[in-house]
Each structure stands twice: as structure tokens, then as C-alpha cells.
Amino acid sequence: MPRIALYPGSFDPVTDGHLDMVRQAVGLCDRLVVAIGVHSSKKPMFSTDERLEMVEEVFAPIAAAAGCAFDCTTYDNLTVTAAQTHGATIMIRGLRDGTDLDFEMQIAGMNETMAPDVHTVFVPASAAVRPITATLVRQIATMGGDVSAFVPPSVAARLKAKFKG
């Protein structure tokens, strides 16, 4: 039976931290599903279609190079429900620091109660990407700063185009 993992997030935008998680995740599963949460209460910088394009463009080559099947999708329900819908028994969650661990442990406990067949796997962020958050990247880009040290080149180009002028 193939090991299917779901890596959920908003990916608004895709960052080098997300890239680090995918590089690690493809070694843990046979198929990786990157799931973009779409919630009506949130106002993302990039549209759902733009985020799907970024995810496919940046992550698919990494999965292919690792021999891992890859899909990207969206969901607007519970993350564990999205995992079950895609046949995932592994949920990938990145940890940057102890604050992330405290928060993610609570979510993992709740998810385990709702879906005991879906196991949360915590992946520690590599040292170089620990300070990166999509929120900070958006703030820097909005204020005209250079985000190229924090995002893949194609994402930096998209951000530059979005805030041109």
C-alpha cells in the first residue's frame, strides 16, 4: 500500500521554508499531496489559481527528482477531512521553534481524535529557513523590500510583478 502524505498550508506565497518541508517530505512518502486551504474569512495576496500554479511549479520537480508522485489541490473543510479524501495516512507539519510545537501538538491531538488513521509527522525546519514566514515575506514585499533570500526565484518574480510601481 502506498504511503500518501498531505502537506497542508495557505502557501501565500510559497517560501523557502515550504520548499524545505517538501524536500524532506518526499523522502517520507510515495505520494505527496500539497493541499492549499481556502477559507472565505481569509483574504490572500495571491488567488487560489496563482497559489496552485506556484505550488506545482516549485514542488513538482522536487517530487519527481525524488521518485515521489505529486498532486496539489485545494480544500475548504477540515484538514483531516482533506487528508482522508486523498487517502493520506500521514500529515506533514513543519516546526520552526517551540511555539510551533506547542500549537501543532494541540492540533495533532484534536486531529488524532477525529481521524485516528491520519498520523501527524512533525518535520523540523532546516536552520537556514527557520525565521521565514509567509506573513513576513508578504510584509517585506508589500513595502518594496527584496524577498529573494526567502522565496524561490519564480515566486520572487511574481511578488515583484505584483508590487511593481
Side-chain angles (χ1 to χ4, degrees):
M1 195 158 101
R3 293 168 299 157
I4 301 170
L6 184 92
Y7 176 35
S10 61
F11 305 99
D12 187 38
V14 169
T15 70
D16 287 348
H18 297 130
L19 191 59
D20 179 56
M21 288 298 108
V22 168
R23 282 187 180 127
Q24 295 185 62
V26 295
L28 302 173
C29 59
D30 302 305
R31 179 173 165 237
L32 178 65
V33 179
V34 173
I36 299 171
V38 179
H39 306 285
S40 59
S41 64
K42 290 192 175 185
K43 302 293 180 226
M45 176 181 290
F46 287 98
S47 71
T48 302
D49 288 342
E50 289 171 316
R51 289 183 284 156
L52 281 166
E53 287 172 10
M54 278 188 280
V55 163
E56 179 75 31
E57 178 181 284
V58 174
F59 300 152
I62 293 164
C68 180
F70 177 80
D71 289 308
C72 57
T73 189
T74 62
Y75 70 102
D76 62 0
N77 52 1
L78 293 172
T79 305
V80 290
T81 303
Q84 291 171 319
T85 298
H86 292 281
T89 56
I90 301 167
M91 189 174 326
I92 303 292
R93 299 301 296 163
L95 299 176
R96 292 172 296 212
D97 58 25
T99 302
D100 282 353
L101 177 62
D102 289 344
F103 178 70
E104 292 293 343
M105 285 293 289
Q106 291 175 335
I107 294 172
M110 300 290 280
N111 286 344
E112 182 181 5
T113 299
M114 292 184 288
D117 56 325
V118 178
H119 306 282
T120 300
V121 174
F122 296 123
V123 178
S126 298
V129 299
R130 283 187 191 138
I132 300 172
T133 69
T135 300
L136 291 175
V137 167
R138 286 192 306 271
Q139 288 175 349
I140 293 166
T142 301
M143 298 174 78
D146 179 9
V147 296
S148 61
F150 313 115
V151 298
S154 62
V155 175
R158 286 175 183 263
L159 285 161
K160 189 173 184 175
K162 189 169 274 292
F163 295 104
K164 189 176 184 178

